[in-house]
Amino acid sequence: TGIVKGPFHYEKDIHNWEQNPDTGERVYVPLKKLVPKLEAVSCWDFYPDPSAVDMKDAEYAIQRHRLNRQQVRDLKNKPFFDLESIEECLEMGSNFQKRGFEDDIYSDDDPTYMEDRFEVLEYWGVLDKSLLEQVGADIPSDMEEISEIQVNVWVSNTQILRIAINPFTPQRIPYNALPYEINPYQLFGVGVPENMEDAQLLM
């Protein structure tokens, strides 16, 4: 099963050089352009609502990120991230914990895999309005009568790095699960190995 996240828009740097009219030298002046972006998410880092049979049925989804220090620091340039919480997270040090299945996925010969990495969890789903008020989230005035609100939250090292109201209209969880063959009773579908199993046992 493939997991696709998005589409989102982001600023892409377009390489551009202009000639300085005073000196005649060519100067690098990059242009910024908004472009759509899709992201492939590893199924090993994706934790959807276990009761859901498809993403439309899911109440929430969590994506696990493995980021280095520079990538965590770069989150400051994205909207709605808390600069103080990011600095606090960096000061607390790396917190990445390798899961058991990762020994099979990643090579044991890579000694740098665990070094100075941060586990950042990205949550898309509903939260109680009272909980959002406790953590200081900005709740729009037209949502004051709603008891549960769709949000996007990033956490790491017990720090809330970002909390924002779901920006999509209509609100939705921005992940799509694309199974090779649909299983009507669960989100993750049937893959090629399972389809080949009977024929392979015969051989």
Side-chain angles (χ1 to χ4, degrees):
T1 300
I3 309 297
V4 177
K5 179 183 180 183
F8 294 99
H9 69 266
Y10 79 108
E11 284 191 340
K12 179 181 180 181
D13 288 329
I14 307 296
H15 299 302
N16 179 58
W17 284 263
E18 295 180 358
Q19 191 168 23
N20 188 319
D22 299 326
T23 62
E25 294 182 1
R26 290 172 60 82
V27 182
Y28 180 62
V29 185
L31 303 175
K32 291 192 178 296
K33 181 181 180 182
L34 282 179
V35 296
K37 180 180 181 181
L38 283 173
E39 178 185 342
V41 178
S42 169
C43 63
W44 299 105
D45 292 329
F46 184 64
Y47 301 86
D49 178 356
S51 302
V53 296
D54 60 42
M55 286 310 300
K56 294 178 183 177
D57 188 37
E59 282 196 352
Y60 68 87
I62 299 171
Q63 181 183 352
R64 175 174 173 255
H65 300 271
R66 182 178 71 95
L67 305 181
N68 61 31
R69 283 186 169 273
Q70 187 57 49
Q71 289 171 322
V72 174
R73 197 170 282 111
D74 286 343
L75 294 176
K76 293 180 180 181
N77 301 322
K78 297 185 177 182
F80 303 113
F81 276 88
D82 188 321
L83 275 60
E84 293 181 5
S85 294
I86 291 174
E87 283 299 329
E88 188 79 21
C89 176
L90 290 168
E91 287 178 13
M92 293 171 75
S94 58
N95 66 333
F96 186 81
Q97 295 180 356
K98 186 167 65 171
R99 308 296 185 216
F101 61 82
E102 289 176 308
D103 288 328
D104 298 326
I105 298 175
Y106 298 99
S107 171
D108 292 333
D109 299 330
D110 182 8
T112 64
Y113 181 74
M114 286 286 290
E115 289 183 3
D116 204 20
R117 294 294 185 269
F118 293 82
E119 183 176 79
V120 180
L121 301 179
E122 179 183 1
Y123 172 87
W124 289 86
V126 294
L127 283 180
D128 289 338
K129 190 182 76 171
S130 58
L131 178 60
L132 292 172
E133 290 172 341
Q134 289 177 26
V135 297
D138 294 328
I139 299 174
S141 57
D142 59 343
M143 292 186 173
E144 290 180 354
E145 303 299 322
I146 302 174
S147 60
E148 291 184 334
I149 299 176
Q150 276 258 11
V151 293
N152 173 229
V153 182
W154 292 56
V155 295
S156 181
N157 264 343
T158 71
Q159 297 293 314
I160 300 176
L161 307 183
R162 179 187 201 256
I163 185 164
I165 306 300
N166 190 322
F168 292 103
T169 304
Q171 289 185 337
R172 63 182 178 86
I173 297 174
Y175 294 94
N176 287 299
L178 310 168
Y180 178 77
E181 181 181 306
I182 294 174
N183 183 336
Y185 307 108
Q186 66 178 26
L187 181 70
F188 292 98
V190 179
V192 176
E194 191 173 345
N195 278 318
M196 293 173 58
E197 183 180 15
D198 293 337
Q200 190 158 352
L201 284 172
L202 282 171
M203 291 183 182

